[in-house]
Amino acid sequence: MDVYLEGKRLRLDPRKALGKGGEADVFDLGDGRVLKLFKPPEHPDYDNLPQEQAAARARIAEHQHKLPAFPRPLPARVVSPETLATDKKGTTLLGYAMRKLEGAEPLRRFGDPAFRRAGVPSSRVSELFRGLHRTLSALHGSGVVVGDFNDLNILVTGNDAWLIDADSFQFGSYLSPVFTEKFLDPLRLGGSTQGLMPSRPASPDSDWYAFTVALMQSLLCVGPHGGIHRPKPPTPKATPTARVLQRITVFHPDVQYPKPATPFGVLPDDLLHCLHRVFVEDLRGPFPLPLLDSLRFTVCASCGVEHARASCPTCRPSATLATTPVTTVRGQVVATRLFTTEGVILHASVEDGTLRWLFHANGAYRREEGSAVLQGGLEPSLHWALQGAVTLVGKGGEFAVLAPGQRPERLGVDAPEQRPAFAANARHRYWAHAGALWRDGAFAPERLGEVLDGQTRLFVGPRFGLGFHRAGSLRGAFVFDAERPGLRDGLALPWPSGRLVDAEAVFDGANCWLFLAEETGGRTVNHCVVVGADGTVKASARGEAGDGSWLGSVRGKCASGEALFAPTDAGLVRVELRQGRLEVVREFPDTEPFVDADSRLFLTRNGLTVVRRQDITALRMT
């Protein structure tokens, strides 16, 4: 496709692709701007999806009139279209150029418990939302409604929150047809029971509803309809749609509050009362700014809980840190505590049955025996891998090899969407850089094969590794042997068509269990794809994010041959690969006190080992 900007033909390089949404691909123009290019109906992401193709056709047709009529000026923290991109004749609009935000993170990450414990205080969250409140108020004052206000359409740089995807804004006669289920105002449903499909247009009130959802999720790591509905028999469990229609929120006594979430008691009563009135009693209108202006967080000196109340909600000022029993028995489960810290455990991995981990305490990043590998406070933008006593740390386009008694070695690395592409097993470390996959060698780095420059995500296990890219209209995946050079590419993965928001993989034997989370059709869907060492896809499955099942999240699982153990708030679940299907074969409810959906599982010499925020526990099922 030929694309012209300011009369000049653009050469769209897949290596410069910055991201992929459900409706467009984004490319770096190299001059402080990015190009948002709308996906045409024939885009590969829409293959065999006639409804999506029709929607793309209608969307592009409307943009021919809507984008030239775009209101100006808009508030400073809105990334607005600056220059329209067209075909060669200049008669068809294909997208637009806009400002590039360097080093930005989607607001969604601020609702992730793992991201928050890596060094993001609640005081930063409240500052972000004070600024976002001003931006949203100013937009409404200009006669503009966001419409699809959600945590992927807001990017964060420092303490500033920026609204993006302005082409979907609602103004004049142009309505906003898109929505995200988690942020959809129930009052727009018009009483419909046929799924969460709005029958009324967006409005300032629906924007403020979504703002309040984002605020709650960012402060507590759970939204109003999170948790699992567990009513007492014979009352049936409500569907997600019924929960929204009946206002069965996390405040309802029959809803199990998610274990990884921050207890809502850390918030002041007036803020909790406001959340209850919005989500249960249908209060609408601008969010009360004084509630944000008066929000002040402190860290309890006794228990370390961060709260915004006059006194700690979980302990008395004179309380001491409770000690966990070394061994606990519940039913058929024996739990033995192996490690605990007053800091936070950030990363863990297994090598030949031995668990290794990295934690932060007393102003330093430390390995399992307590030695400091890096001084400094918690920094959420750091990424980690472990290889024996060596620690790998990456940020942006560089990673460092921290070996005991040696000077740090620094290497360049690709970082698609701010995620440095490096990994390690017990024998080698691997990284993608400058269009190639590399492995450390005896004398110098060894080149294993060619990959798409700047776009490759990388995972590795003891026997083999897996990589993939999704950039513009290009999609590709490959496997590689952990010891020998060469790549087996051209894998036919069941690719998600929406925006990829997370990816993880676990390995054992000849299997890789690849997990992908995508935003599509207004909801987050998690995928599991089992890939063999030869690149064969053996099975796949999908589930709704946060539904309490083994696929309710994409992280924390561990594999054992053709079986997978997954943590949930209700305990461990065992999934097996059987004749091309992934089936839940056993649940372990007695493990419920020792795991949650945010736990990380590993098979070690001690058996099944659970790594949580501040402790590590070995589980033995009798």
Side-chain angles (χ1 to χ4, degrees), residues 105 112 142 184 284 359 379 383 394 408 432 437 544 577 582:
E105 294 278 5
D112 177 4
S142 301
L184 178 62
R284 294 296 182 268
F359 68 103
E379 171 54 65
H383 298 260
L437 177 63
E544 295 284 334
L577 174 61
L582 297 177

Side-chain angles (χ1 to χ4, degrees), residues 35-277:
L35 175 72
K36 182 170 183 178
L37 186 65
F38 303 124
K39 295 179 183 177
E42 61 272 15
H43 194 285
D45 286 350
Y46 298 150
D47 285 350
N48 301 314
L49 297 172
Q51 288 185 329
E52 297 291 339
Q53 293 169 352
R57 193 173 294 109
R59 186 164 51 244
I60 291 175
E62 181 181 66
H63 282 323
Q64 306 308 304
H65 310 284
K66 180 179 181 180
L67 288 183
F70 205 82
R72 302 177 186 279
L74 291 181
R77 295 293 181 265
V78 175
V79 182
S80 304
E82 295 180 355
T83 307
L84 301 182
T86 69
D87 62 1
K88 185 176 182 178
K89 296 180 180 179
T91 57
T92 302
L93 299 182
L94 305 177
Y96 60 88
M98 57 184 171
R99 174 179 177 172
K100 180 184 179 183
L101 299 176
E102 297 286 354
E105 294 278 5
L107 183 64
R108 167 171 292 199
R109 295 206 73 198
F110 288 76
D112 177 4
F115 184 72
R116 292 294 303 279
R117 64 172 170 257
V120 181
S122 295
S123 56
R124 184 182 175 195
V125 174
S126 58
E127 178 65 22
L128 285 173
F129 276 86
R130 281 192 285 270
L132 189 56
H133 192 289
R134 292 191 293 269
T135 299
L136 188 57
S137 296
L139 263 181
H140 291 165
S142 301
V144 176
V145 172
V146 175
D148 188 24
F149 186 110
N150 68 75
D151 55 6
L152 285 175
N153 286 352
I154 300 168
L155 296 183
V156 175
T157 60
N159 287 333
D160 293 326
W162 301 76
L163 284 165
I164 63 170
D165 289 347
D167 53 276
S168 67
F169 284 1
Q170 178 173 296
F171 59 89
S173 62
Y174 299 102
L175 299 181
S176 178
V178 291
F179 64 94
T180 302
E181 283 192 0
K182 188 186 299 185
F183 297 86
L184 178 62
D185 184 354
L187 297 185
R188 292 184 61 193
L189 300 176
S192 170
T193 59
Q194 304 301 316
L196 300 181
M197 181 62 65
S199 60
R200 298 173 181 173
S203 67
D205 277 354
S206 65
D207 277 357
W208 284 115
Y209 174 88
F211 175 95
T212 310
V213 173
L215 175 65
M216 178 179 179
Q217 184 170 283
S218 299
L219 287 173
L220 298 178
C221 298
V222 63
H225 297 99
I228 305 298
H229 185 222
R230 300 189 185 282
K232 297 178 181 178
T235 303
K237 177 181 177 181
T239 65
T241 298
R243 285 191 59 185
V244 173
L245 295 175
Q246 299 172 29
R247 311 301 192 262
I248 303 175
T249 71
V250 291
F251 301 112
H252 195 284
D254 288 343
V255 173
Q256 178 183 327
Y257 195 77
K259 291 183 182 180
T262 301
F264 54 69
V266 305
L267 298 181
D269 288 339
D270 53 357
L271 178 53
L272 289 173
H273 181 61
C274 178
L275 297 178
H276 189 277
R277 292 199 66 194

